Amino acid sequence: MMKPDEQPPFAEFMGMKIHEVTPEKVTAEIVVTSNLTNRNGVMHGGAVMAFADNLGGTAATANLPATGGSTATIESKTNFFAGIPEGDVARAECTPLHRGRTTMVWQTRITRGDGKLAAIVTQTQLVLPPK
C-alpha cells in the first residue's frame, strides 16, 4: 500500500511537485512543459485532469482508515476556465467536499501563475477495503 506522501511514478513523469499532504488538504504544482501542452500551446485538458486525479487519490489515501485499504476514482468532472500556457506553473489545492466510509468527494482548484482560476475538478473516490 502506498503512503499518502508517496507518489506513483506517473506523478514524477508529469513533473508534479507535492507541497503539502494532510487529511484536510493536498497542494502541488507542475511546470507546463511542451510535453503537457495541446496544439494551442496551453496545458492539455487531459494533463489538467490527470494532475487533479493524482491529487484526489493522494487526498483520499491520506484519509483511509487506520486498518488500511486503497482508493479508486469512480467519477470525475472538470470545468475549464482559462488556459495555462507553456512555461507557466499550474498550482493546485485539493480539499474535501465529503469524506464518508465508502466514498469521498474531492474538489481540486487549479490556478495559473498569475493566480487566475484555470479549472475546477470534482471527483469521487471509492474507498476499498484492505486485501
Side-chain angles (χ1 to χ4, degrees), residues 5-83:
D5 56 345
E6 294 176 321
Q7 293 299 304
F10 184 69
E12 183 177 341
F13 173 77
M14 284 192 64
M16 293 180 206
K17 292 187 176 134
I18 308 297
H19 296 296
E20 178 181 7
V21 178
T22 71
E24 299 297 324
K25 177 172 55 174
V26 175
T27 62
E29 68 181 26
I30 188 169
V31 174
V32 181
T33 63
S34 63
N35 289 335
L36 298 177
T37 61
N38 64 21
R39 65 192 65 173
N40 299 315
V42 297
M43 191 170 182
H44 191 286
V48 171
M49 294 163 66
F51 184 27
D53 185 59
N54 189 79
L55 299 185
T58 298
T61 299
N63 281 273
L64 288 173
T67 55
S70 61
T71 182
T73 305
I74 58 172
E75 185 274 337
S76 186
K77 181 200 181 300
T78 305
N79 287 99
F80 297 99
F81 303 108

